């Protein structure tokens, strides 16, 4: 094994099965959810990493649940939505 290849041996395990990308529909759903509630620009939302963006969606959903405790008038949480794929 070449010296260069040895240096990347640890990362090989992550990419062995191919790189899996985040579903585009889900990404846009999260972006629109955050933009709608916080009025952030698409650049601001796209600047967030995956975990941070999911955390913001979770927090916004939690706020909605606390403001609308009634099941009838409750807005659906983005985290309750099923992926379209």
């Amino acid at each position: 094994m070449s010296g260069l290849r040895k240096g990347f041996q640890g990362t090989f395990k992550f990419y062995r099965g191919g790189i899996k990308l985040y579903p585009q529909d889900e990404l846009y759903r999260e972006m629109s959810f955050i933009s709608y509630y916080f009025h952030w620009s698409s650049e601001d939302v796209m600047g967030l990493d995956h975990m941070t963006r999911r955390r913001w969606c979770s927090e916004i959903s939690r706020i909605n649940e606390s403001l609308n405790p009634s099941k009838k008038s409750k807005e659906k949480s983005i985290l309750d939505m099923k992926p379209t794929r």
Side-chain angles (χ1 to χ4, degrees):
M1 189 181 272
S2 72
L4 180 61
R5 186 80 170 139
K6 285 181 187 174
F8 292 103
Q9 191 173 1
T11 59
F12 178 71
K13 63 182 175 185
F14 295 110
Y15 300 117
R16 190 176 358 195
I19 298 174
K20 296 200 171 56
L21 300 176
Y22 197 63
Q24 187 176 19
D25 292 342
E26 202 165 329
L27 173 65
Y28 278 100
R29 191 176 305 125
E30 290 174 4
M31 288 177 53
S32 61
F33 188 73
I34 294 170
S35 296
Y36 176 79
Y37 283 98
F38 286 165
H39 307 286
W40 288 358
S41 70
S42 60
E43 292 83 21
D44 290 336
V45 178
M46 280 301 290
L48 300 172
D49 62 82
H50 172 72
M51 294 304 292
T52 304
R53 195 175 55 250
R54 294 288 293 180
R55 177 68 190 260
W56 278 112
C57 289
S58 176
E59 293 301 324
I60 293 168
S61 295
R62 193 169 299 135
I63 291 168
N64 281 335
E65 288 173 6
S66 69
L67 293 176
N68 300 313
S70 168
K71 294 271 186 196
K72 190 180 257 186
S73 65
K74 180 181 160 190
E75 289 185 41
K76 188 167 189 162
S77 165
I78 191 164
L79 302 175
D80 293 338
M81 296 180 168
K82 303 240 187 271
T84 55
R85 290 185 178 205

